[in-house]
Amino acid sequence: MKIRFTVNERQHECEVDAQTRLLDLLREDLALTGTKEGCGEGECGACTVLIDGRAVNSCLVLAPQVDGKSVLTIEGLAQGEALHPIQQAFVEQGGVQCGFCTPGFIMSTYALLQENPSPSDDEILTALEGNLCRCTGYTKIVEAVRTAARLLQETR
Ligand code: FES
Ligand code: FES
């Protein structure tokens, strides 16, 4: 079947099978490999993208479900060479080690800060509970989210 949708503000028209996962459509058909596959079962959050502003696990979404919708991936955040403030905050605060989980954390953070520009630590932890990191111990990630919130407020 044919679907039309927007990814990072660009229109796409793709021929997909009913069972194609959004994760595979992004990575294989559109070469947007910033979105990672960890568990493939909705447990790790490495594949998080936004659909119409809501953070979802793209391994659990079928391509036909995004017909007519707008998808934002990690590739849609930086402006040319300039990192998005959330990316900048993760780098500055040491919230990135191996980096495998990072796109997912950043997309979940993006969704959180759109909805709640000044989250408490508890709200940050709740928003990120679907994202797993094997490396950082989370403290630096929470610090990165706090820093990102501050940076975004300064640019508003
Ligand atoms: S790969 Fe989608 S949640 Fe782990
Ligand atoms: S930085 Fe390695 S899994 Fe999170």
Side-chain angles (χ1 to χ4, degrees):
M1 63 183 291
K2 189 173 281 187
I3 61 166
R4 290 188 189 84
F5 69 126
T6 303
V7 184
N8 303 335
E9 298 184 352
R10 284 184 60 182
Q11 282 282 352
H12 291 276
E13 196 171 280
C14 300
E15 194 65 43
V16 298
D17 291 336
Q19 295 306 315
T20 303
R21 302 180 306 171
L22 175 61
L23 175 61
D24 299 319
L25 179 62
L26 293 171
R27 289 181 54 86
E28 291 166 21
D29 296 40
L30 302 182
L32 294 169
T33 55
T35 303
K36 303 300 182 202
E37 175 159 16
C39 63
E41 297 177 347
E43 299 291 337
C44 74
C47 64
T48 305
V49 299
L50 270 62
I51 300 177
D52 289 347
R54 209 167 60 85
V56 297
N57 292 324
S58 61
C59 69
L60 297 184
V61 175
L62 295 176
Q65 294 175 275
V66 297
D67 189 28
K69 304 212 165 148
S70 174
V71 177
L72 182 68
T73 73
I74 190 73
E75 288 89 349
L77 296 195
Q79 299 285 328
E81 294 294 301
L83 292 180
H84 186 279
I86 299 173
Q87 294 172 308
Q88 199 182 319
F90 270 71
V91 172
E92 274 175 18
Q93 296 301 334
V96 181
Q97 287 188 22
C98 80
F100 189 82
C101 68
T102 309
F105 271 97
I106 288 178
M107 298 314 291
S108 294
T109 301
Y110 185 98
L112 167 66
L113 297 181
Q114 287 281 103
E115 206 172 284
N116 179 358
S118 188
S120 66
D121 286 358
D122 280 352
E123 288 168 333
I124 294 171
L125 289 170
T126 300
L128 300 182
E129 66 190 4
N131 293 84
L132 303 183
C133 176
R134 291 170 186 271
C135 306
T136 63
Y138 299 95
T139 307
K140 291 178 174 183
I141 288 177
V142 172
E143 187 56 42
V145 178
R146 281 196 218 109
T147 302
R150 185 172 43 74
L151 290 175
L152 283 168
Q153 290 198 343
E154 285 170 5
T155 60
R156 279 193 177 120

